[in-house]
Each structure stands twice: as C-alpha cells, then as structure tokens.
Amino acid sequence: MIQLLTYVVGFALAAQAFIGLGYLVSSIWEKEKRASWFGALQFVGMLMVLLIYIMLASSGYFTTPRGAALLIVISTLAAGAAYFFMRRTPPNERALKGAQGHVVSGVKRYDERKVVFARNHLVPGSSEYERFYNEYPDLRERDEERRKRGHVLGKYGFVDTPHEKANVAIMLAMRYFCANTCKPEHLEPPQAPYLNGHKESVTPIEAAIKVKGIAKHLGACMVGITRIDSRWVYSHRGTIWKRKYDHGDTGWSKWGREIELEYPYAIVVAEEMDRKLVDSAPHTPVFIESIYNYSKGAYITTQLAAAIANMGYRAKAQHIQEYDVLLPPLAQDAGLGEVSRMGYLLTKKYGPRVRLSAVVTDWPMQVDKPKDIGVENFCSICKKCATCCPSKSISEDRHPSEHNGSIRWKINGDTCFEYWGKVGTDCCICMKVCPWAHARTWPHKIIVWLISRNKYAGMLFSYMDDIFYGRKPKPKAPPVWAVFRKTTDNRQRKPVASTTASGQD
Ligand code: SF4
Ligand code: SF4
C-alpha cells in the first residue's frame, strides 16, 4: 500500500513539474518576461521537490513509520487541495440563462442615437443635431464640452505621433473593403430570382450545421445561434457613416427611424484578434487589428446573409456599417461566452480577443444554449481592467448591479471614448490586460478549464495572474511590420515611451 502511494505521489509531483515546464516554455514563447522568470522559479522549485522526493523514496525512507506517516499526510493534503480546486462548484444560474438571466425588471430598449459614436457623428448645426439634443438635453452640454476639448476620435494614431503614419495608412486600408463592398444596401440581400419565392426545405439542425460551416469556412473562429430577445434590439437607428452611398443617399434619411426587427434568429459570429497586435494596446497596431476584424466580420456576414437569401429565406447582416441589435447579449445567449466587467464578451477559447458580428434571419434553425464559463465570479475578484483603464471608465464594484433592468457592470462609454480621442486609437488596454486574453497554450487551457468549473480556482488564478504578469502589464512591441517608430531602423522595435505601465498618460 505504502509502495503504491509512493509511486502515486511521485507521479503527481512529476506531472506538476511537467506542467511547470510547459508554463515556462509557453511564457518564453509568448515573450512574457516577468512570467518567464516566475515560471522558471516555479519550475526549479518543483524540480527540487521532485528530486528530494526521489532521493527519499529510493533511500527507503517512506517504508519507515515516520516516513509513511509523512507520506500519508502529504498525499492527503495534496488530494484534498486537488479536489478543492478541481471539483465543479455550483454553476452561476444567471449565466446559464444567458443575458435574460441578468434581467431583474423592465428593460428599456436602447436608443442607438445615444451611443457615443453615434453622437460623435452628429454634425453641429444640422437638423438631426438639434432634434437629438432637444430630446436628450442632458447630453448636449457634455458633448459640446468634449467637442471643444477636441477629444473626439479624429486624430488617428495620435499616441504614436509623429511615427504613426504607416500604421494609420494600414488601419484605414483595413476599412476600405467593408466600406466599399459591404455597404448598407448590401446588408439585406434579395432572394435569388430563380427561386420564384420557393424556400429550400432544410431541417433546423441541418440549417444550423450549414450556417456554422459557412461562417467558419469564411474565417469565423466561433459561431453560435440564438432566438432574438427583442430587448436587445435598438429602439432607433443612430450610427450613420458620413459618406455618399452608391444611390446617393447619405444615410441620414434612416437616422432616428424606429427599428422593428422581424427576424426571429441571430447567427452570432466571432473573429479572433491577433494577440501580438492586441498586446501593443493602446498603440496603433491594435487599431489595425480592430478595424481588420470589423471588416472581416462584414465580409463573413455579408456573404452568409447572401447564402441564406439564396436558400429562399430573409437575412440581414449586422456589422460595423449598421447594427439593429446589441451584439454582446446576443452572443451570450448564443453560447459564445459571458459579458464581462469591461463590457466585452469573454470567450473560453480567446477571452476578450474577439470582434463580433451577426446575421439575423427568418430561417428556422437549432439554437445554442448559453454557458456558464465562470466569468462573473472571476471578474468579481480580478478587476484588472478597471485598475488599468486610463480613463477610469470601468466599474470597480465587486459585484454587478442593476442598470436599465439588467444586472451587470456598467461602462462609462463617454469617458472611454474621450480617451480614444486623446490617443487616436480604440485603446483596448482593458482587452490586453485581461487574464483571459493570454494565448491558449496548453498550460493556459488547463487554467481556463479549472476557472470555468471551480470558483476557488478562479480566485486563485486571478491573484496568480497579478504575480506572474503584473497588476499593470506594459504595452509590448508588435511584430516588426507594425512597429510605430521610424521604420528606417528595424532594430527599434520597442513601443514609444508615450504611455506609462498601464498605458496611461
Ligand atoms: S478601451 Fe481603454 S479607455 Fe476604454 S474602457 Fe477599455 S481601457 Fe478604458
Ligand atoms: S480584466 Fe479581469 S475583471 Fe476585467 S474583464 Fe478581464 S477577467 Fe474580468
């Protein structure tokens, strides 16, 4: 019996050391300096414990009464700790019901005109401008002050001035495709004429398999399907891009229109954002990646909507050109992840490093179920995004509270946007510092698996992330093609010193 226990404990220690080595290699590969040092310390410690154990075992110490007692105590404690951190703790019932599970009273549908981006598009002196601020007078003074301060997103790449030009050029190019090919008039493709009103007969399961397959083939990393909860449909059209469409409509004719969505299903699509570009936040490389993925979402959903129309059903793409729906709650309902403290969707596979888009349709299809992946518990301890947010736009409250009838952490979109205006990028510091954003190497996969099932593991790894990566991780150098210093010298790959540890200025 003691001999068997000796082997089991030895095997467990060797497995731990192996995981420690895996973590060290992973940190070096991720170019995480601090985590590499701590990983090395941890691995050496584990290795020493293993060596001492092997020496004691081979000397026959564990066959003596004192050694056997020690072995039994150590193995009982280790088994207890493993059980404590690996067992499934009671699930978060709210998360299992999706966004609906967070609703505690009447939710007023959100007016898209109130979104800070939409307000930023309003032209002072225009009839839309006066109409809007007469309806929402409390926002007038605030917006006028911001405009006076010049803190509206306009000076692209300002944080990297004067060497941002190449990256701003790339960022604008990333928008070119979706601005010119996925225009609002292409959002809702007409049914193919050869169908003569006929709808292809496909079972809901087959339909779900097909749309998921098409979206993934087009480049989506995650796809989920949900019935649309009308509470997550905007009440009025707000964001209008200021440019002429092909047919001469500036888009303003749609502005302020009530939105009544007749489609019962949403196919929500996520595209992964490149970790190396995100790690440079708030500098220009992350802006390239954000816009690239908005465009990619437009490409995927425009084609997917066309494919559905060709099957005889109605469909409308939802992407950066025009949204009818709020994507994070729909993505949560579609089982892609959970909405986090910072308002982004956290997914199990990519954390917050995803951009969302969707297709809404009347094609009946099998829906997915919302999932509890442990986000609410983890966020209640972690708060790293709130600590690092330079504009203090993220709530530091331990628990989410009621806002417009729904339990969540509320973001201050105005102050966040103002910071975007200061740096001239979409910041993304919160996305970068989030412990869920790490590369999914196998040691990180084990950690995510643990924190998704056990709330104590969530607490433990939240504290460990601060130790291994720092409470305020610094921006990291992007790949060489996205450096934002003078590109005449490719050895200069470090970010400019325009930001402090957390990207604050
Ligand atoms: S994007 Fe930047 S400013 Fe906005 S909430 Fe995140 S960290 Fe704060
Ligand atoms: S940084 Fe922490 S608190 Fe913020 S979203 Fe990520 S896990 Fe939640």
Side-chain angles (χ1 to χ4, degrees), residues 99 102 117 153 222 268-273 277-278 281-283 286-287 289-291 293-294 323 326-333 336-348 350-357 373-376 378-379 384-386 388-391 393-395 407-413 416-417 419-420 423 425-437:
H102 294 70
F117 308 103
L153 192 53
M222 293 175 84
V268 189
V269 168
E271 304 96 43
E272 183 190 5
M273 288 179 68
L277 294 177
V278 169
H283 293 274
V286 75
F287 205 14
E289 186 59 3
S290 294
I291 304 299
N293 278 290
Y294 279 125
Y323 297 106
L326 284 86
L327 291 174
L330 282 187
Q332 180 158 1
D333 288 346
L336 297 188
E338 287 180 59
V339 179
S340 65
R341 177 185 288 276
M342 59 180 161
Y344 283 126
L345 184 84
L346 287 200
T347 65
K348 206 168 172 180
Y350 310 98
R353 285 187 296 105
V354 289
R355 288 283 170 207
L356 301 172
S357 50
I373 58 168
V375 168
E376 189 174 328
F378 195 92
C379 283
K384 204 167 192 169
C385 51
C388 294
C389 174
S391 60
S393 304
I394 302 173
S395 165
I407 298 283
R408 61 194 163 93
W409 284 286
K410 191 167 163 29
I411 294 283
N412 186 336
C416 168
F417 183 73
Y419 186 74
W420 291 21
V423 288
T425 69
D426 62 345
C427 176
C428 288
I429 288 173
C430 47
M431 180 186 280
K432 172 193 72 180
V433 302
C434 179
W436 290 65

Side-chain angles (χ1 to χ4, degrees), residues 3 79 90 147 196 239 299 308 319 348 351 408 410 447 481:
Q3 190 140 21
R147 284 193 168 92
N196 288 325
T239 302
Y299 164 78
I308 294 172
H319 55 68
K348 206 168 172 180
R408 61 194 163 93
K410 191 167 163 29
I447 294 170
W481 64 268

Side-chain angles (χ1 to χ4, degrees), residues 12 25 83 104 165 178 209 253 255 267 287 289-290 296-297 315 322 345 420-421 433 448 484 491:
V25 173
Y83 173 73
V104 286
K165 288 203 173 69
C178 109
I209 293 172
S253 58
W255 184 89
I267 305 149
F287 205 14
E289 186 59 3
S290 294
K296 196 170 163 189
E322 195 172 294
L345 184 84
W420 291 21
V433 302
V448 172
F484 39 86
R491 287 168 303 172

Side-chain angles (χ1 to χ4, degrees), residues 214-225:
I214 299 167
K216 287 205 171 165
H217 180 67
L218 290 169
C221 69
M222 293 175 84
V223 192
I225 300 169

Side-chain angles (χ1 to χ4, degrees), residues 48 61 72 148 152 221 248 271 331 341 371 387 400 439 456 469:
M48 281 170 65
Y61 175 71
I72 289 167
K148 266 189 217 151
V152 290
C221 69
E271 304 96 43
R341 177 185 288 276
K371 293 188 184 94
T387 308
Y456 302 106
Y469 297 90

